[in-house]
Amino acid sequence: MTTTTAASGARSAFGAGPGAFAGTVRLIRFALRRDRVRLSVWLLALALATLATASEYTTLYATAEKRAGVAATMDSPAALAMTGPRHYLSDYDVGAMLGHQLLGFMAVLVGLMSVLIVTRHTRNEEETGRAELVRSTVVGHHAQLASALAVAAVANIALAALVALALASTRIDGIGPGEALLYGLTHTVIGLVFAGIAAVTAQVTAHARGASGTALAIIGLAYVLRASGDVGNDALSWLSPIGWIQRTYVFVDNRWWPLLLCLATAALTAATGFALSTRRDVGAGLRPARLGRRTASGALTRPFGFALRLHRATLLGFGAGLFLMGAMYGSILGDAADMVKDVEQVQEALAEIGGSSVAESFASMVMVVIAVVAAVFVVMASLRPRAEESAGRAEPLLATGLSRHRWLGSHVAVALTGGTALLLAAGLSFGLAGATSTGDTSLLGKLFWAAAAYAPALWVTVGVAVVLFGWCPRAGSAAWVVPVYAFLVGYLGAILRFPDWTNNLSPFGHVPRLPAGQMSWTPMLVLTAVAAGLILLGLTGFHRRDLETK
């Protein structure tokens, strides 16, 4: 009798009665069908990025002397903070280079994919009201969270298989099937860890963006702890799951046991998510809503102030990330000449850019990456009206005296000013860190204005997104082509020697490559005019079409 009572109490505490997982399999199939295109893009992009990097390393560092030279330049605090622990440098072949330089960044991307999967199929479903409709049928209390975690697991296992098969097929010396499998599984376990963290954050806040933002902040914290530990106290790296997978020392020592730490953490966080879900109502969060002011501030009564409030968390997150990115890249400018001295392709790309020093040429190349990250924000901000429209939140606002032009224009204004502010913040940190690492104080102003020069290209990106939203809202996701293409041809294309005409198809390809190049105002004015024309065209299209709600 006592045992039965204890078991019943445990089931009650976790909400795990006989039917708590009813309908999970059907929800898994439905979620996989909904995300078949989205997941395919993620998996192929991550697998191809790994394969392309391995191929690039094989080409760029074909001899042991070149790899030894790279290992020597990587043995500095700034380089270790951006890559991984020093132990990889002991046997720096192509496999070790993958584990050292790529694994940490891939962990962030895999974590992002996993977080978005879980929040999309849990908190977003509740926020839109679809979860309540689904739960009104024969669906258990834990079915949605269980299906979301299962979809994340399927995606991460599939990614491991693709990455392992891709690396094993290269037949690169030192990359055998066992090592390739271990490398692939590091992606799986880190994805499961951050999926479990998302399962917890989804219970805390009542909004999908808040759940995603909190989980992404934890990913950022894990990366910072890993970087701090690799540079100084190694104990800090053991506080980060990213540090755990890097300490498999894949392709060097090939340790398997750190994977168990990740699996245990994933199980613990997932179980915590299930337990917390029983302590709240559908659509609510564990964290109570903060009481607002009795009356709204003057800014919230105006379209721009209200739009800025909606984008505030995303803008602050990107601001912190870009400021840190600028500081990290700036910290290695002083070592740029040593890092590329044995890499002919990079030297040729830097020589083509020009500049009075390797540091200036390298900074001009890196500036493209910073601008592309800022472009990711402006695309998100420019497409936010689509989410507001689809969720039915735009219609009540437009039923008042608020015009369509002012409503859409407020979001466009946030994208324009916010994107420009991100560039300036990144340029400032890039300049400060670069001036410190090189001892050249003139880099502070040069790098600040070099970042600002990309503002017109960002404005064109906003214009493309607004045109798609205004005239063909269902095709709005195509706006992501602009930053992705800009990165491929602007950064990788410079190293892989893409034809010049490919760079001319991107608005970022017409920006003067400061500080290495000379300032030219003509393309800046043309890009600004194109951006203005696209934005006006998008506003016109939105004014003429009907609203679409799901």
Side-chain angles (χ1 to χ4, degrees), residues 318-330 366-367 369-371 373-374 418-434 443-444 447-452:
F318 270 88
L322 276 170
F323 190 86
L324 180 61
M325 178 183 292
M328 293 178 66
Y329 276 122
V366 168
M367 201 63 74
V369 181
I370 291 175
V373 176
T420 304
L422 292 177
L423 284 177
L424 298 180
L428 178 61
S429 65
F430 197 9
L432 286 170
L443 282 178
L444 174 57
L447 296 182
F448 180 80
W449 293 113

Side-chain angles (χ1 to χ4, degrees), residues 429-508:
S429 65
F430 197 9
L432 286 170
T436 302
S437 65
T438 62
D440 183 2
T441 56
S442 65
L443 282 178
L444 174 57
K446 290 180 179 179
L447 296 182
F448 180 80
W449 293 113
Y454 279 93
L458 281 189
W459 301 341
V460 173
T461 306
V462 173
V464 171
V466 174
V467 167
L468 290 171
F469 169 73
W471 290 92
C472 189
R474 295 180 183 273
S477 298
W480 289 107
V481 172
V482 179
V484 172
Y485 184 81
F487 176 76
L488 291 176
V489 303
Y491 182 70
L492 296 180
I495 300 175
L496 302 178
R497 313 293 293 173
F498 286 3
D500 291 339
W501 64 266
T502 59
N503 202 36
N504 293 332
L505 297 178
S506 169
F508 295 85

Side-chain angles (χ1 to χ4, degrees), residues 127-205:
E127 191 173 356
T128 57
R130 291 190 291 265
E132 193 168 4
L133 292 176
V134 171
R135 291 192 182 188
S136 66
T137 62
V138 186
V139 172
H141 180 81
H142 288 324
Q144 281 197 308
L145 180 56
S147 64
L149 291 172
V151 171
V154 168
N156 284 290
I157 293 172
L159 177 61
L162 286 174
V163 169
L165 289 174
L167 288 180
S169 67
T170 61
R171 300 183 183 278
I172 298 173
D173 290 339
I175 300 182
E179 292 87 351
L181 178 60
L182 175 59
Y183 185 82
L185 289 177
T186 58
H187 296 64
T188 298
V189 295
I190 196 65
L192 293 178
V193 168
F194 290 123
I197 289 173
V200 174
T201 61
Q203 315 308 320
V204 176
T205 177

Side-chain angles (χ1 to χ4, degrees), residues 515-536:
Q518 297 294 322
M519 183 61 184
S520 176
W521 289 100
T522 300
M524 308 290 284
L525 295 175
V526 172
L527 288 173
T528 302
V530 170
L534 291 173
I535 291 172
L536 289 175

Side-chain angles (χ1 to χ4, degrees), residues 211-390:
S212 300
T214 304
L216 295 180
I218 295 175
I219 294 177
L221 177 62
Y223 191 87
V224 170
L225 286 173
R226 192 280 311 161
S228 302
D230 290 344
V231 172
N233 187 355
D234 189 64
L236 292 175
S237 295
W238 286 104
L239 298 177
S240 167
I242 299 178
W244 299 344
I245 63 169
Q246 285 190 325
R247 276 155 182 75
T248 58
Y249 294 123
V250 59
F251 304 117
V252 179
D253 294 339
N254 295 313
R255 300 175 178 175
W256 290 78
W257 63 264
L259 302 185
L260 299 177
L261 293 176
C262 292
L263 290 176
T265 303
L268 178 62
T269 52
T272 303
F274 283 118
L276 293 178
S277 68
T278 64
R279 299 176 179 273
R280 63 177 183 86
D281 295 329
V282 177
L286 291 173
R287 185 178 64 188
R290 187 178 60 181
L291 294 178
R293 298 166 55 177
R294 294 179 62 87
T295 58
S297 65
L300 286 179
T301 62
R302 298 179 178 85
F304 179 78
F306 184 63
L308 183 61
R309 180 64 174 268
L310 293 177
H311 294 277
R312 181 179 61 181
T314 306
L315 181 59
L316 291 176
F318 270 88
L322 276 170
F323 190 86
L324 180 61
M325 178 183 292
M328 293 178 66
Y329 276 122
S331 66
I332 64 172
L333 277 187
D335 300 323
D338 292 333
M339 292 175 64
V340 303
K341 65 181 180 180
D342 296 321
V343 188
E344 296 178 3
Q345 288 86 342
V346 176
Q347 286 183 335
E348 293 174 0
L350 295 177
E352 186 174 339
I353 293 174
S356 59
S357 66
V358 174
E360 287 190 356
S361 303
F362 186 75
S364 298
M365 180 182 291
V366 168
M367 201 63 74
V368 176
V369 181
I370 291 175
V372 167
V373 176
V376 172
F377 165 77
V378 301
V379 172
M380 293 177 63
S382 300
L383 295 181
R384 179 63 187 267
R386 173 59 179 165
E388 297 295 304
E389 178 186 5
S390 300

Side-chain angles (χ1 to χ4, degrees), residues 109 131 202 313:
L109 294 177

